Amino acid sequence: MTYTLALTDRAYSSWSLRGWLLLEKFNIPVQTRFARLYTDDFPKMLADFAPARLVPALKTSEGHVITESLAIAEELATRHPENNHWPANPHHRAIARSLAAEMHAGFMALRDACPMNLRVAYDDFSPSAEVEKDLRRLEAIWAWARTETKSETPWLCGTYSIADAFFAPVAARIAGYGLDVSSEAMEYVNAHLNDGAFRRWRAMGLVDGDDQPFYKRDFATKTWPGPTPIKAQAVSAGTPENSSCPYSGKPSEVLAEIEGRIFGFCNHFCRDKTVADPAAWPKFMKLLARES
């Protein structure tokens, strides 16, 4: 079964992140289509996903289009029950569904004041009273979910579920704007920041195009609060240890120096997403683990 997923700027599009996680975290193969926001390419891409007006939009192998993230989530859960998009326990499943639905429809103050921007972290943002109300609500429902489900994992309802995919961009906002939440809520935020799929998405978002001026805010900045990346840089000369790209298998054409060793990649995007966060990429880390 082949899916095609329409997405836009990784660094900024919270709904694109949610849509991608619904497949990436549940090991469902998908082809992705990207178009930049605020360009003519965006409506042109969506014309192939009619009647979608926004992303994500998912096209099935039969050519059927599913719009809206909750609809995509439910359809994937129905088509792939073995992947456990929702918790198996009925009570836990009801909680996860409640959380995802509230996220889909709510937290507008937080979303308006703190648009997702994975390329920067701010140091002096002051939340409004309405944003503070959203933060207290998040603390309450996250704690309620973990208590009710007796979750022994970093996630809200036990194993990673649709609810967690929906809150991933919220975690990015809390981290990126330095928002004050309880220690328990911050542990949940950090679980997302350390999650391999989230890190891969952010690494790609750091290198897939110019900054979007719409998302710029005039606050002091600080280092992104997630894991510190392995030391890496693009280089123009050297002999790579690998003759083929760890992702595509195509010949190595461009180079990076990572932990003092030279590696080759088939194109600039493969190289640059790796340089952004080498440890986010299992295929590269397998290569790095080999003795030089």
Side-chain angles (χ1 to χ4, degrees):
M1 186 176 294
T2 302
Y3 295 101
T4 306
L5 185 64
L7 303 167
T8 188
D9 302 63
R10 292 181 181 91
Y12 309 107
S13 176
S14 59
W15 290 107
S16 290
L17 171 56
R18 290 183 180 96
W20 183 77
L21 287 171
L22 292 174
L23 293 109
E24 176 73 10
K25 286 294 292 184
F26 298 93
N27 300 310
I28 300 175
V30 63
Q31 297 177 343
T32 53
R33 296 256 322 261
F34 280 88
R36 294 274 285 170
L37 289 165
Y38 318 117
T39 69
D40 291 339
D41 290 338
F42 187 67
K44 288 178 181 177
M45 177 185 71
L46 287 183
D48 294 334
F49 293 83
R53 296 184 302 115
L54 301 169
V55 294
L58 186 70
K59 184 179 290 186
T60 70
S61 55
E62 302 90 352
H64 304 150
V65 172
I66 309 163
T67 65
E68 290 292 337
S69 297
L70 266 180
I72 293 171
E74 290 288 9
E75 187 64 19
L76 290 173
T78 299
R79 287 170 173 250
H80 303 276
E82 72 284 358
N83 288 20
N84 299 313
H85 279 81
W86 294 118
N89 180 289
H91 179 49
H92 299 179
R93 184 166 62 247
I95 291 169
R97 279 193 162 116
S98 297
L99 294 172
E102 183 167 349
M103 178 60 254
H104 191 270
F107 303 101
M108 294 307 300
L110 175 63
R111 288 154 66 175
D112 288 345
C114 305
M116 191 180 81
N117 186 344
L118 298 178
R119 294 184 171 184
V120 68
Y122 294 116
D123 198 31
D124 61 352
F125 173 78
S126 297
S128 67
E130 292 304 310
V131 172
E132 290 282 3
K133 288 180 181 178
D134 278 352
L135 295 174
R136 304 293 82 78
R137 177 61 181 171
L138 288 166
E139 290 173 341
I141 62 175
W142 290 351
W144 166 71
R146 293 185 57 81
T147 298
E148 287 289 311
T149 64
K150 298 181 174 59
S151 177
E152 296 180 352
T153 75
W155 310 114
L156 295 175
C157 301
T159 57
Y160 190 100
S161 75
I162 289 168
D164 299 301
F166 271 53
F167 282 114
V170 174
R173 288 176 163 99
I174 291 172
Y177 288 83
L179 301 176
D180 187 24
V181 295
S182 69
S183 59
E184 183 180 10
M186 199 64 212
E187 288 179 6
Y188 180 60
V189 169
N190 287 330
H192 284 285
L193 300 187
N194 284 277
D195 179 64
F198 181 94
R199 290 174 66 175
R200 289 191 291 277
W201 178 269
R202 180 172 179 267
M204 292 186 287
L206 291 173
V207 301
D208 69 348
D210 296 335
D211 291 345
Q212 290 279 18
F214 176 84
Y215 294 89
K216 179 178 172 55
R217 298 294 185 270
D218 293 325
F219 304 124
T221 60
K222 61 180 181 180
T223 301
W224 179 259
T228 301
I230 293 171
K231 186 176 181 180
Q233 63 178 343
V235 294
S236 58
T239 302
E241 298 181 16
N242 56 311
S243 60
S244 59
C245 178
Y247 310 114
S248 69
K250 296 178 181 178
S252 296
E253 301 287 348
V254 295
L255 305 175
E257 182 181 343
I258 301 174
E259 291 202 328
R261 297 161 60 184
I262 304 297
F263 297 95
F265 303 88
C266 66
N267 59 45
H268 288 84
F269 185 66
C270 282
R271 179 193 64 188
D272 294 346
K273 72 181 186 182
T274 308
V275 167
D277 189 357
W281 303 97
K283 289 182 178 179
F284 173 73
M285 292 303 290
K286 184 178 180 179
L287 183 62
L288 185 64
R290 296 189 334 204
E291 293 185 7
S292 58

